[in-house]
Amino acid sequence: MVPSTRCTSAFKEGLTNLCGCPQVSIVWPDQHTSEFDPEWLRKRCFSSAARQALQEELFLNKRMYWDSELQIPTANFEEVLHDDKAALAWLLALRRVGIVYLKGAPVEQGQVARLSQRIGYLRLTFYGHTWQVQDKSQANNVAYTAGKLSLHTDYPALHYPPGVQFLHCLSQAAEGGESEAVDGFHMAEKLRREDPEAFRTLTSLQVDFTDTGSDYCDFMVQSKNHIIDVDSDGRVVRINYNNATRDSVLDLPLHQVQAFYSSLKAYIQLMTRPENMLTYKMEPGDLVTFDNGRLLHGRKSYLSHPDQVRHLEGAYLDWDEVMSRLRILCKSVNGES
C-alpha cells in the first residue's frame, strides 16, 4: 500500500510527539493514519549511505588491522566485571581490534566462566563449557602437549566454529610457551592484493576438516569450510584454518588440487612473516580475549618443571551473544532509549 497525496509533514501540520519533536504523518488510501519520527525514518532510508551507516551501527563491521607492532588493548579484569563503561570499552576493542588483554584476574579456575556471565553464557562444545590447556598424557588434542602449536583458528571442524575465545593463565611454563597471533583479516586483504587468484581460490573452494575423540563426550565431527569466508559484498568475515584438523581427504577435482595447495601456501607464508606476527607471553592472572574467526593464534613449545606446570583455562562464546551485550551496554552507557 502506498500513501495518498494527502501525505503531509509535521512542519506543515504542526504535529509533534510527546517530546515536542516534529512528526511525519501519513494518510493511507484506506484513511488510516501513521505517524513517524523523522529520525526513525532517516535511519531506514534506502540510500546507500544510510543503509551502510545503519549496518555499521548494528554490527560494527569496520576493523582496525594490525601487525607485529600492535600494542594489545588492555583492561582491568575486575573493572570489566563491575563497570559498564569498562565492559563497553572492552567489547568495542574486541570487535574492532580482535584481541584484548585483561589483567588482574584471580589465579584460580572459574574466571572465564565469571567473565562470560558479564555477556550471557558460554558455548558448550565437545571439550566442555570450559577446558584446561595442560600437557597431558595420551592427549586427545595437540594443544594438550608441550609442543609448538602452529597458527590456527579453533574448531573449523564445526560448520559454525565458536566466535570468541577466552584464555586465562593460571601458571606459566618455566621456559617457552610464548603466544603468537596474526590478524587473519589483514593477511587475507594482503593476499587479495598480492595474489588475487590465491584469494579467489581460498574463498571459493571448500576444505574438509575433522575431529574425533572423547572429552566432554565422545565425538566424530566433520565439516566443509572455506579457508577464507567472505560475505555477499566480498568482505572477509571469517577465517577457518587448523592444519591439525584439516582432513587428509581433499574433496576437490584433481585439476584444482595444486591450485589449492599453492594458494594455502601463499596465505601461510604471509602469516608467518615476522613483521606480521605478534608475540606475547601470558603471566598468571592474565586473561586474553580474542576473535576466533579472525585471529590465527599459536604457541611456542615449552618446558615445564614439576613445581611450575603451564596451565591455561579456556572457554568459548558466540558473537551473537557478545554483540547483544555490546548493544545493550551502548544504550545504557550512552543513555539511549
Side-chain angles (χ1 to χ4, degrees):
M1 183 179 288
V2 296
S4 72
T5 55
R6 293 176 58 198
C7 176
T8 57
S9 74
F11 299 102
K12 293 180 180 179
E13 298 288 329
L15 180 67
T16 59
N17 62 17
L18 294 177
C19 297
C21 302
Q23 294 282 84
V24 173
S25 177
I26 296 178
V27 179
W28 301 92
D30 63 357
Q31 303 306 304
H32 173 72
T33 300
S34 299
E35 297 171 5
F36 299 94
D37 179 83
E39 183 59 30
W40 189 92
L41 289 174
R42 270 192 291 269
K43 290 182 71 171
R44 287 153 182 81
C45 174
F46 289 99
S47 74
S48 177
R51 288 165 49 216
Q52 184 176 352
L54 181 58
Q55 292 306 302
E56 177 58 26
E57 179 182 330
L58 292 174
F59 297 104
L60 298 173
N61 289 316
K62 291 180 181 176
R63 300 292 194 272
M64 189 198 89
Y65 291 163
W66 48 267
D67 55 23
S68 62
E69 299 301 315
L70 175 70
Q71 297 296 312
I72 302 176
T74 302
N76 179 273
F77 177 80
E78 294 295 340
E79 287 181 4
V80 164
L81 285 185
H82 301 107
D83 181 78
D84 281 356
K85 287 184 179 180
L88 176 59
W90 163 50
L91 294 182
L92 285 171
L94 180 62
R95 185 65 172 173
R96 295 297 195 200
V97 183
I99 180 170
V100 182
Y101 226 72
L102 302 185
K103 292 282 195 177
V107 185
E108 58 188 32
Q109 288 183 221
Q111 303 314 304
V112 290
R114 281 183 71 203
L115 185 60
S116 75
Q117 292 169 3
R118 191 64 168 106
I119 293 173
Y121 48 86
L122 291 172
R123 163 86 176 263
L124 176 63
T125 71
F126 291 109
Y127 292 94
H129 287 97
T130 64
W131 20 272
Q132 311 308 313
V133 184
Q134 297 171 289
D135 186 7
K136 303 175 184 179
S137 61
Q138 298 182 326
N140 65 338
N141 188 300
V142 67
Y144 300 158
T145 70
K148 176 180 172 61
L149 278 182
S150 58
L151 293 168
H152 65 283
T153 61
D154 274 19
Y155 246 142
L158 300 177
H159 282 106
Y160 301 99
V164 172
Q165 184 169 166
F166 294 168
L167 282 173
H168 177 212
C169 181
L170 298 168
S171 177
Q172 187 53 273
E175 300 175 37
E178 293 87 355
S179 299
E180 298 174 325
V182 168
D183 186 346
F185 285 7
H186 191 193
M187 296 305 100
E189 293 299 340
K190 278 180 173 284
L191 185 69
R192 193 201 304 253
R193 293 193 303 270
E194 296 182 14
D195 193 339
E197 185 59 28
F199 181 85
R200 189 200 66 78
T201 296
L202 296 185
T203 57
S204 62
L205 299 184
Q206 287 193 316
V207 182
D208 289 86
F209 292 91
T210 187
D211 197 14
T212 301
S214 181
D215 199 292
Y216 182 79
C217 64
D218 51 348
F219 55 88
M220 185 180 290
V221 292
Q222 194 80 29
S223 76
K224 301 183 83 67
N225 276 312
H226 301 111
I227 299 295
I228 303 173
D229 274 336
V230 296
D231 64 14
S232 58
D233 295 321
R235 180 175 53 207
V236 176
V237 293
R238 194 173 76 185
I239 307 299
N240 305 290
Y241 178 67
N242 188 328
N243 211 43
T245 58
R246 185 166 60 85
D247 204 334
S248 58
V249 170
L250 185 57
D251 182 24
L252 294 175
L254 182 59
H255 70 275
Q256 293 181 327
V257 171
Q258 186 172 349
F260 166 73
Y261 279 117
S262 296
S263 301
L264 183 59
K265 181 179 180 180
Y267 190 43
I268 293 171
Q269 286 177 333
L270 271 176
M271 294 178 208
T272 52
R273 289 179 188 171
E275 65 268 24
N276 292 329
M277 188 182 300
L278 177 70
T279 302
Y280 61 94
K281 188 164 185 176
M282 301 182 71
E283 298 298 338
D286 292 348
L287 198 155
V288 67
T289 62
F290 61 89
D291 183 343
N292 181 58
R294 174 180 175 183
L295 259 72
L296 292 116
H297 63 284
R299 179 199 68 211
K300 294 184 179 180
S301 62
Y302 64 87
L303 179 63
S304 292
H305 293 165
D307 60 342
Q308 192 174 350
V309 178
R310 190 176 192 271
H311 181 190
L312 308 182
E313 184 174 36
Y316 298 121
L317 295 88
D318 283 322
W319 269 112
D320 283 328
E321 290 77 66
V322 177
M323 289 301 297
S324 169
R325 181 56 55 194
L326 198 161
R327 296 183 191 109
I328 291 169
L329 287 169
C330 275
K331 288 187 176 295
S332 65
V333 170
N334 296 328
E336 299 175 6
S337 62

